[in-house]
């Protein structure tokens, strides 16, 4: 709850004076009215259709047959998104804050490729930008109170990010050194022609992905692979351990502290401190 | 214990008046008599045989040689299952509740394909329905008190399902965006001919499955793969962390019960019931 | 400590009367004397050599050149193992208990293939029995107090085995049903010729192994694969959650209970109960 | 904090008498001055450049075109590293301790390959030694207080190393036995020509890497693979469980400290110090 309010707060603390603006604002930026919910659901559907068009366009056989249909739909959706973007700017008072907010930029990126492609022919390059429209899904889910659990995950990841970065650094240096060794061991065999190639193989192996496009052919190479695989299989425990510990932690950190005995392991539904029996009336965060 | 009674409760609270019906009911729906256990074991064996026949039938070389034998066995098993289904309906009083219950539908699906295939030739289509017979195993295991631990797992998954859905949504959007980038990077190389293809590759990679039927061939593509693999290797920690935290949580719920208010969510280290403040002196397990 | 004594207890509670037997017994069955330790280390080396011979013998090019040398070494090791087995029987009083104990049978299996191969030519069949010699390593590690941590792992696995079995049953039934669906979807494409083949593919996919010898070729097949992979990636959390929860549990269950407040979370190095401050003098297990 | 001081302590407890030496020492061995930080950042950049050169050199097409440029850069970097090594020895008082410390040896190894390659032509062999330069990154990160979280990981791994070794031993023996069985099952099929080959396959499978360069072709072989894969998928939980349990444990160690006896292993829910019985009223973080 608290979270998504912080995100929106920036552009809603000064409500518009004109009534229709306030009403539109509520429909567009809120999901607490039937119309607001309908608006969000329509937007969600449009985002999915838009994403599917980009996908289907990329399939040559479908693009040949439905090219015009896809273009027409894309134009329609882009126009709707443009109107929506305009309405978002009009109905909000603190326009700057919205335009330069994360979702403001995403909203702009959702329409820009269309207008640019009118003047420049390389639509393929705009493709990935059009895909970023998918990120708008999160705003809608956010409004619909769907994201609280998501925030817990993100926060746990954020809090353990430092540990995960260092783990990744270990992993990368480990892969680089192992890849270099394999480059020497497997000589100039196929797939180990250069050190970057060997590092690619090492990462493929240590993460247990194992494409098989590159695999060792000499006995010594296979022996090193076995060590690498066992290492990868064991150290997968490290990120898991980090996030699990953090996740359990989060559950506690978010909760309350007993005023009498200082016990900080108080569940959400507790009336009394389980350690000293003190009534949990007011708690510090 | 509690769980599987709820499942059965719907159709056994009004016992049949006729004695033979009551006795048959107990054999068929219960496992607390030697005959009831024998019945369940026979059923279990029949389900396994039936499943194996479907499997073996699908192997062309075996089907050529034993086709008639398979058909004969399938007829036999279908007849037995039909008799069983009839008996289940006859012996139960609340017939509607049984017929439209989850296992009632499964029981019907277990025999329908056979009768349909008498009139329609496309048996292959019914194959998957015949495979659903396997789900009947869970009812029998349920009766045999085998499923208590299973319920714990299911409950832990259910309680963390919201977090897991959001995690999967993140993962899918991540895969779609990464797949689109790879479509642009690897151009029209083999395996990256379209965005859906590239997304397929992205999911294969991020889940560390790594078939290798599609793998990057350009240096830039390999570089992106490395990032994707490291990401996949790190974020595997997230579902694990979610379920582990939930599982630990669940465990506590089953341990002690407060003598005063009946609260069953008492931690191992609690001195006082967190709901009513009662001292936790002696607790029932 | 406690653990491995229980294992040995069966055959050492009645010490031999003759002094040389008692001394030999101590060397062979114990590791608390320098000679006893030396004996164990020699045995460990012999087991490793014996295992390596079996491995190297299986490599055609090496077997051609060193065949006689391998045979000679195998004879030597078998003779040493036979003498050791004889001594084990002679020095122990409760011979029956030893012979029919787990390690007694392993010890016998370690020498039998050699004598059988004198009369029967198919040595290849005995190969796997010869490999079972490796299991003797665990007895030696056990004697050397190396296995305490191993017991913790085994016990955690044993305690959660019921949950893991049910999880595996879920997984197998899931794979069977998904495999059957894929058999229908991918028609008679390569690698999906029969249901068992498709099940093989489903297991390869859901466990994130992903050989790539079988991979979907139709768009619908790929779509199902994506769902299966995401499912496999998410449910890997379940066994992890089970074992992790059990492992944390084990740590506590093995420990002590406070006599005053009943707190059962007392660390090994605690002098005082962390909940009520009671001195931890005598504790119940 | 505490950790990295212990590492450095060996060579800084006797400061140099000459002022310029003390100043240089602080720049080189510390990161608490702007110049010291600049020095570290320059070093970090040089290490990355040096590593990239080794990588790029190994790509034939790039090496052909930029060979001279690479050599020139390598000479430049080696000279800078040599000067740095000389300054490190000059500015430190306890020279022996530095030279034979872990990072002292790494620093020497960072420059030796260059001078050796002047006299011996096989530069390829020195390649891996040149790659070890990357390990110097850890010293710099260490100085920059980046490694505290890393130490937590390393310590958790160290504390659970015994359990992990035993787990790996289990895994290796399991793979050897399964590999031997597959050697017998798959006869002399491709990829299973010898036991070491089969063991390679078993490890590839059980760790869920699954290259696919070796995969079973007989039905029985596939059946065994399925069992092996399910086993691998389940036992991945073991290292994760070990490290997670250890990590949670470690976390507690860093939190509170008893005011009376200095015990730093106080759980979140403790009322009394478990070592001395002191009430835990106020604790330092």
């Amino acid at each position: 709850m608290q979270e998504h309010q912080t995100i929106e707060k920036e552009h809603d603390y000064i409500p518009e004076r004109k009534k229709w603006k306030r009403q539109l604002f509520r429909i567009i930026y809120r999901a607490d009215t039937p119309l607001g919910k309908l608006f969000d659901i329509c937007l969600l559907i449009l985002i999915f259709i838009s994403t599917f068009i980009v996908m289907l366009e990329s399939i040559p056989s479908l693009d040949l047959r439905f090219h015009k249909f896809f273009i027409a739909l894309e134009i329609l959706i882009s126009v709707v998104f443009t109107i929506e973007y305009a309405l978002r700017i009009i109905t909000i008072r603190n326009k700057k804050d919205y335009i330069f907010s994360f979702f403001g930029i995403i909203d702009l990126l959702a329409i820009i490729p269309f207008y640019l492609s009118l003047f420049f022919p390389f639509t393929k390059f705009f493709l990935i930008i059009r895909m970023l429209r998918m990120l708008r899904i999160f705003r809608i889910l956010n409004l619909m109170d769907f994201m609280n659990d998501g925030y817990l995950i993100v926060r746990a990841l954020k809090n353990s990010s430092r540990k995960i970065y260092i783990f990744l650094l270990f992993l990368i240096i480990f892969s680089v050194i192992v890849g270099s060794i394999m480059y020497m061991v497997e000589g100039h065999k196929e797939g180990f022609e250069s050190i970057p190639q060997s590092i690619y193989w090492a990462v493929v192996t240590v993460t247990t992905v194992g494409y098989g496009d590159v695999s060792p052919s000499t006995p010594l190479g296979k022996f090193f692979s076995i060590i690498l695989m066992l290492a990868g299989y064991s150290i997968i425990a490290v990120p898991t351990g980090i996030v699990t510990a953090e996740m359990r932690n989060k559950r506690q950190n978010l909760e309350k502290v007993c005023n009498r005995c200082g016990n900080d392991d108080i569940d959400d539904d507790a009336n009394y401190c389980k350690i000293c029996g003190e009534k949990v009336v007011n708690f510090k965060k």
Side-chain angles (χ1 to χ4, degrees), chain A residues 115-129:
Chain A
Y115 293 103
L116 281 181
S117 67
L118 294 182
F119 306 103
F120 305 98
F122 17 88
T123 36
K124 206 186 150 190
F125 179 75
F126 301 133
L127 190 146
I128 182 65
I129 302 175

Side-chain angles (χ1 to χ4, degrees), chain A residues 11-12 14-30 32-33 35-36 39 84-95:
Chain A
H11 38 80
D12 71 338
I14 321 167
E16 280 288 346
R17 263 174 238 145
K18 281 175 194 148
K19 209 193 158 195
W20 66 269
K21 275 197 186 178
R22 250 183 296 143
Q23 279 173 335
L24 254 177
F25 177 86
R26 207 168 170 196
I27 290 170
I28 295 174
Y29 284 97
R30 291 283 173 274
D32 52 359
T33 54
L35 269 174
F39 178 84
E84 184 225 337
Y85 186 66
L87 285 178
R88 274 188 194 273
I89 290 179
I90 291 165
T91 59
I92 209 161
R93 191 134 181 204
N94 208 335
K95 292 180 208 314

